[in-house]
Amino acid sequence: MNGGTVIDVHGLTKAFDGKTVVDGLDMTIRRGEIYGFLGPNGSGKTTSIRMLCGLLTPDAGSGVCLGFDVIRESDKIKPHVGYMTQKFSLYEDLTVRENLLFTARIFGLADPNRLVDGCIERMGLGPFEHRLAGNLSGGWKQRLSLGACTLHSPDLLLLDEPTAGVDPGARRDFWDHVHALAAEGITALISTHYMDEAERCHRLAYLAYGRLLASGTVEEIVEGAGLTTWSVASRNPGAGLHGLTERLRPLPGVDQVVAFGNTLHVSGRDAAPLERAIAPFRTDGLAWTIIDTSLEEVFIDLMRQSRDGLK
Amino acid sequence: MRMFDCKRFAAMVGKEFVQMRRDRLTFAMLIGIPLIQLILFGYAINSDPRHLPAGVLSADNSRFARSIVAGMQTSTFFDITRHPSTRAEADRLLRDGDVLFVLTIPENFGRDLLRGDRPVLLLTADATDPLASGRAAMAFPEIVRLALARELTGPDADLNQTEPPVDVRIHNLYNPEGETQYNIVPGLMGVILTLTLVMITSLAITRESERGTMEHLLSTPIRPLEVMLGKIVPYILAGYIQMTLIAAAARFLFNVPMQGSVILTFALSLVFIGANLSVGVTISTVARNQLQAVQISIFFFMPSLLLSGFMFPFKGMPDWAQAIGSILPLTHYLLLIRGILLKGNGFMDSLPHLWPILVFWAAVVAAGLKQFRRTLD
Ligand SMILES: Nc1ncnc2c1ncn2[C@@H]1O[C@H](COP(=O)(O)OP(=O)(O)OP(=O)(O)O)[C@@H](O)[C@H]1O
Ligand SMILES: [Mg+2]
């Protein structure tokens, strides 16, 4: 890989029926990196991933993936990429084993049977080996897909919401597995809607309305957003905070009010106006403390900003 | 990256076989359609029509003439319902469909016969529906021979010894090619193969797109030619199963005589089966969903059915229809298979009908490869 960069694309753009879905995406991913891809529904994550592996032709933009041109050399990229689709895309009328064998053979792998045995073992698919894939539960389908896209030991994994609908234990196994692969030098681009998963990535990109709004490590992104967040809790357990949310929201300087159990998180882009806004509420009954802004607040803020920008 | 890799191709074929085996409905359709069509058409073939209305235009009242008419009646093939008195009246009866046959017995028939002048005995048949008229017309010379043999005894018996004492002529009206019902079953083979194979493979790639499996397939190194041929191969077997079914039914159920080599028929049919399957796969590269695929298949099937010479005599169609028909593989296949099965044609005789199908096949595969979408755009 040249200079340790696996993906380096600029200005990738894609429109469907005149509607721009991905707009000038720039992305650089280094070798061995786990790169998180976040953004609200319909923000263009799947479309971007499809462009990277040659399933969609970009309308504009250029770049390299694994040292090959993303537009002209997608045939050379495919053998080295493991793409896990968002929607289950293996054959429901083939068994788990048949699906894996088919994939191994299509990639022209030597000794497919041994490889498939190893994969079934690794993914814990043993009990379902001879079940039709269509009869697996959602989470097991995801595991099968993951197994299938790693069979040929790809250099780059493109995983589109690989853990959607997967239970917490299996999700943790999955992330341990991805980190182990990254340690071996495999690069992974993973789209997700889970914040805890975002925090397990080395670097992140946040997409909204087809535009890249932020990228970098978790710290860089949180820092870049420049949000100040206060946490409020009621001192006497009986009294709720219900009325408070409605009263805080319209105030100038307050950008977000989110309930977390018995506390509210109140965030604003500028520290001073926020402090002025909450001043009247800093009474004896309420405990106010400044806390670290979380990724979720940053993302929601980014999304609002871009939506406001579009208006 | 090679254009074609045998291992990948084999993987594709293997997968298709497993899926075909599990797809009960398609399999039922593969077997069911030929059976239903055979029974529907075959019923007509097997019905062995009897008591067909016939008229006799007789200018002779000899015992021979009477014996022949009586023989026709007792054969149960014919029902003598009319006795027209003029040629014009007889023609009108035929034209209006009041009778399917008119027997014309010339003046002095009996006298000429005894003199050994071999008078002409003309049976005019309405052959629009060869299924109906063919068998009776074929039986007619034998009916005449038997009727005359009964009468020609004693001193006249030696008239039986030499060539038939009358010149029996059968004139097929409205169907100059004189097709017989035996044309139907081999033709049906071609029609059934066209219908089912095109329809089933037209769903092949569309189904992958609809189910989302295309996304997985396209993200692998597989090439279009491997996908297309991989989809075709398993159905070649299906085509042969259908052929066997139809051939067996033709032979044992409907007693269609088979002159030529069955092995040659099967061997050369590979080209026709392949061509049809490729049409299906090519359709499925164009169609956006399975409904569209079926609609386009029918769009291909209709001209095949109507303009190939299966429904109407090919030579009797207008030029533009013949031009379209001569592109279609079924047209050539009908000539090919009828040639082999009914006339006993060999390989060399079949070549002129074989290459147009091959050309068609190559063109269709090329079109399919060009159309095959390598991306999800
Ligand atoms: N083939 C297509 N034709 C037309 N529009 C499309 C097509 N594929 C995607 N889109 C549109 O592009 C936009 C982005 O879709 P995309 O699937 O990339 O979003 P996403 O970020 O993956 O969303 P999600 O989180 O829901 O998976 C959506 O508005 C979608 O409707
Ligand atoms: Mg998506």
Side-chain angles (χ1 to χ4, degrees):
Chain A
M1 293 320 111
N2 49 13
T5 306
V6 170
I7 294 179
D8 190 15
V9 292
H10 301 283
L12 284 191
T13 300
K14 182 78 192 174
F16 290 113
D17 314 317
K19 183 173 164 279
T20 304
V21 165
V22 175
D23 193 0
L25 178 75
D26 300 325
M27 192 152 56
T28 310
I29 303 181
R30 290 187 284 267
R31 189 173 135 84
E33 204 165 42
I34 299 175
Y35 198 88
F37 207 28
L38 288 99
N41 292 134
S43 55
K45 300 183 296 295
T46 301
T47 308
S48 305
I49 293 177
R50 284 177 176 165
M51 284 194 280
L52 289 176
C53 62
L55 284 177
L56 287 176
T57 320
D59 296 333
S62 62
V64 278
C65 179
L66 294 162
F68 300 110
D69 189 284
V70 272
I71 292 164
R72 279 175 289 110
E73 298 180 300
S74 63
D75 282 337
K76 292 183 182 149
I77 300 175
K78 283 177 185 175
H80 307 288
V81 172
Y83 171 43
M84 176 172 164
T85 54
Q86 179 172 1
K87 181 175 172 288
F88 186 68
S89 65
L90 293 175
Y91 296 95
E92 305 218 330
D93 49 352
L94 295 188
T95 65
V96 167
R97 191 177 186 85
E98 286 162 351
N99 265 305
L100 292 172
L101 274 175
F102 173 65
T103 308
R105 293 197 176 119
I106 288 293
F107 276 98
L109 307 178
D111 203 355
N113 274 301
R114 193 185 48 78
L115 276 172
V116 168
D117 286 339
C119 174
I120 287 174
E121 166 86 41
R122 199 168 58 243
M123 292 288 152
L125 284 162
F128 311 111
E129 195 179 335
H130 298 294
R131 273 232 208 137
L132 293 185
N135 296 344
L136 294 178
S137 76
W140 282 102
K141 277 186 186 163
Q142 295 291 88
R143 288 207 218 182
L144 171 59
S145 306
L146 184 66
C149 77
T150 49
L151 264 178
H152 57 294
S153 324
D155 298 316
L156 172 65
L157 285 173
L158 300 174
L159 310 179
D160 199 355
E161 298 192 29
T163 56
V166 173
D167 67 62
R171 226 144 62 92
R172 177 164 297 177
D173 291 348
F174 164 81
W175 277 95
D176 290 346
H177 190 64
V178 171
H179 274 275
L181 289 173
E184 293 168 20
I186 291 176
T187 312
L189 173 64
I190 305 178
S191 80
T192 177
H193 291 294
Y194 298 114
M195 290 304 132
D196 60 314
E197 293 190 346
E199 283 168 4
R200 298 194 67 165
C201 296
H202 296 129
R203 284 202 303 145
L204 300 174
Y206 186 83
L207 212 60
Y209 305 101
R211 268 185 245 139
L212 188 67
L213 296 187
S215 62
T217 61
V218 175
E219 294 75 27
E220 282 166 4
I221 288 179
V222 171
E223 203 126 302
L227 287 180
T228 307
T229 304
W230 289 83
S231 161
V232 209
S234 177
R235 287 225 168 85
N236 44 339
L241 294 164
H242 303 299
L244 194 59
T245 312
E246 270 66 55
R247 278 189 286 152
L248 284 170
R249 260 198 193 135
L251 297 178
V254 175
D255 292 311
Q256 279 181 55
V257 183
V258 190
F260 279 91
N262 292 324
T263 60
L264 288 183
H265 290 187
V266 185
S267 321
R269 268 163 231 150
D270 293 311
L274 177 64
E275 200 157 357
R276 276 199 296 280
I278 65 171
F281 300 95
R282 298 177 78 171
T283 54
D284 286 347
L286 297 171
W288 292 83
T289 40
I290 283 206
I291 56 164
D292 287 340
T293 303
S294 74
L295 209 48
E296 183 163 315
E297 279 137 6
V298 173
F299 287 158
I300 290 173
D301 186 61
L302 284 171
M303 191 175 78
R304 285 215 187 128
Q305 277 183 33
S306 76
R307 193 175 49 201
D308 296 345
L310 281 179
K311 276 180 191 162
Chain B
M1 285 295 293
R2 273 173 298 166
M3 274 300 286
F4 191 84
D5 179 288
C6 287
K7 267 193 186 162
R8 288 199 300 254
F9 171 65
M12 192 70 199
V13 171
K15 183 211 93 171
E16 289 295 325
F17 260 117
V18 174
Q19 287 188 307
M20 184 168 93
R21 214 181 58 216
R22 299 226 168 103
D23 187 357
R24 297 260 167 76
L25 198 68
T26 303
F27 210 77
M29 181 173 143
L30 276 171
I31 307 292
I33 288 187
L35 279 181
I36 291 169
Q37 292 223 14
L38 267 174
I39 288 166
L40 290 178
F41 281 82
Y43 173 72
I45 299 161
N46 204 26
S47 64
D48 187 12
R50 303 256 166 179
H51 301 289
L52 302 172
V56 175
L57 175 63
S58 182
D60 183 83
N61 198 22
S62 64
R63 58 193 166 105
F64 300 107
R66 274 179 277 129
S67 174
I68 289 170
V69 172
M72 283 170 73
Q73 191 75 44
T74 48
S75 75
T76 72
F77 278 115
F78 303 93
D79 254 349
I80 312 291
T81 53
R82 299 299 183 97
H83 292 274
S85 44
T86 61
R87 180 83 259 160
E89 191 189 348
D91 286 347
R92 192 181 48 73
L93 287 175
L94 270 172
R95 203 171 51 235
D96 296 350
D98 289 338
V99 295
L100 283 179
F101 301 92
V102 168
L103 175 68
T104 310
I105 302 174
E107 242 175 304
N108 303 326
F109 175 73
R111 195 196 65 199
D112 291 354
L113 190 148
L114 282 173
R115 277 200 204 153
D117 282 353
R118 301 197 66 231
V120 171
L121 195 58
L122 177 69
L123 182 74
T124 316
D126 172 355
T128 9
D129 183 2
L131 282 178
S133 62
R135 210 171 263 250
M138 265 198 312
F140 183 67
E142 183 64 12
I143 293 171
V144 172
R145 198 188 62 78
L146 287 173
L148 293 181
R150 261 196 311 276
E151 295 300 322
L152 294 169
T153 47
D156 306 324
D158 56 332
L159 278 169
N160 270 324
Q161 304 307 313
T162 51
E163 53 179 340
V166 293
D167 181 2
V168 175
R169 289 191 193 164
I170 296 173
H171 181 204
N172 278 328
L173 278 185
Y174 313 128
N175 185 356
E177 288 192 334
E179 305 216 354
T180 74
Q181 73 261 43
Y182 298 139
N183 270 338
I184 288 285
V185 168
L188 204 53
M189 183 122 74
V191 169
I192 292 174
L193 288 174
T194 304
L195 178 66
T196 52
L197 298 182
V198 170
M199 191 97 90
I200 284 171
T201 41
S202 74
L203 300 176
I205 293 175
T206 337
R207 191 184 302 137
E208 298 250 7
S209 307
E210 268 191 352
R211 292 191 185 165
T213 51
M214 201 60 180
E215 197 175 356
H216 172 67
L217 206 56
L218 286 179
S219 73
T220 70
I222 199 157
R223 308 296 297 228
L225 191 63
E226 295 155 4
V227 176
M228 285 183 60
L229 292 184
K231 294 256 171 207
I232 287 176
V233 168
Y235 292 104
I236 290 181
L237 186 81
Y240 274 125
I241 293 177
Q242 292 191 327
M243 275 190 71
T244 313
L245 215 66
I246 301 165
R251 186 75 197 82
F252 301 112
L253 241 47
F254 307 126
N255 297 317
V256 174
M258 294 199 186
Q259 300 287 335
S261 155
V262 174
I263 295 175
L264 185 68
T265 310
F266 273 64
L268 297 188
S269 293
L270 179 65
V271 177
F272 180 67
I273 292 175
N276 277 311
L277 291 173
S278 307
V279 170
V281 171
T282 299
I283 288 175
S284 79
T285 60
V286 184
R288 290 275 166 182
N289 53 49
Q290 299 199 36
L291 181 66
Q292 267 187 16
V294 171
Q295 286 169 336
I296 304 176
S297 306
I298 291 173
F299 199 72
F300 174 76
F301 179 67
M302 290 321 286
S304 290
L305 188 69
L306 298 175
L307 305 182
S308 63
F310 175 73
M311 283 285 224
F312 313 113
F314 192 77
K315 292 277 182 278
M317 298 192 309
D319 287 346
W320 63 266
Q322 288 195 30
I324 298 174
S326 58
I327 300 170
L328 300 167
L330 183 58
T331 309
H332 302 282
Y333 184 67
L334 290 180
L335 295 171
L336 178 101
I337 194 166
R338 284 175 178 164
I340 298 175
L341 287 182
L342 302 177
K343 296 186 199 153
N345 279 355
F347 179 69
M348 292 313 285
D349 307 313
S350 306
L351 270 184
H353 310 308
L354 196 62
W355 70 259
I357 307 180
L358 270 171
V359 170
F360 179 88
W361 189 4
V364 165
V365 169
L369 279 176
K370 196 162 173 295
Q371 268 299 316
F372 190 93
R373 286 189 288 270
R374 304 285 315 277
T375 61
L376 297 169
D377 290 83

